Amino acid sequence: MIGGFNLVEFEGYIEDLEEMSSSITTKIIDYNEQFKACIENEEIDAQKLQDGIFPVLNKYDVFVSHSHEDEELAIKFKKWIEKNLDMSCFLDKEIWGSGDKILKKIDKLCWRPERKVYDYEERNLTTSYVHVMLCNALMQAMDNCRFAFFLNTPNSITAESAWAEPKTHSPWLFYELSVLKYIRKESGSIMKSFPRGMESLREGVHNVMSYPAVNLTKLPKLEFSDLANLSNLDEGTRFEKLLGLLRV
């Protein structure tokens, strides 16, 4: 990761994004077979499960950080980036399976038929295990990308007033912004684009908890128009411009 941007001001380019299809080819996973393949000696191999459901196989130019409610916008933005800037994008929906579906498989281990209930404590533990796997995979994916673009929309960030600290109701956006703050940074000396190669878990009941949008004010703001102006540049110049914008 070289750095991240707080992407704002989409309004003037909505028509350009609308031209992009919101359809995407998602990974097809047999969750029954995947789950069975990860059980060894009556234990679940967590690394095998993570590699099967949340694989991190390739390097990418761009990590797209977005609210689950902006899923369609994120898909169109990914396609716009690939078409206009010829940069590869990591989008979890395209590559990863569903954390919710694998959780349902694991939850069966917590079912107590004699009482017809799930064991509450065990159920909480299995959920936390899958969340840790997803967090680990997210961090690896971000580390494998050169830049991150945070899609700053009313769905991702809320603030009561212009002076209020920006907040998010998404624990996954909170996590991704936190990772951006601490992840190792590269110098940006490699100029060749990488070849093209959550939300994977629901964000839960909205507005129950809010999280500080950590590091958001430290991310350089990038208007969509700035990004669009890069489309006519060659790859090397485009890369240098992005580095320059990071230093502003």
Side-chain angles (χ1 to χ4, degrees), residues 148-159:
F149 289 106
F150 175 79
L151 304 190
N152 190 332
T153 72
N155 290 325
S156 58
I157 294 297
T158 59

Side-chain angles (χ1 to χ4, degrees), residues 6 65 142 150 156-158 165-182 210-219:
N6 176 15
S65 178
M142 294 175 75
F150 175 79
S156 58
I157 294 297
T158 59
E165 178 187 18
K167 293 184 178 181
T168 179
H169 289 118
S170 165
W172 300 111
L173 289 181
F174 169 70
Y175 177 76
E176 289 169 9
L177 287 170
S178 298
V179 170
L180 271 176
K181 182 177 180 180
Y182 296 110
S210 65
Y211 308 82
V214 293
N215 197 42
L216 185 61
T217 56
K218 300 290 180 64
L219 288 182

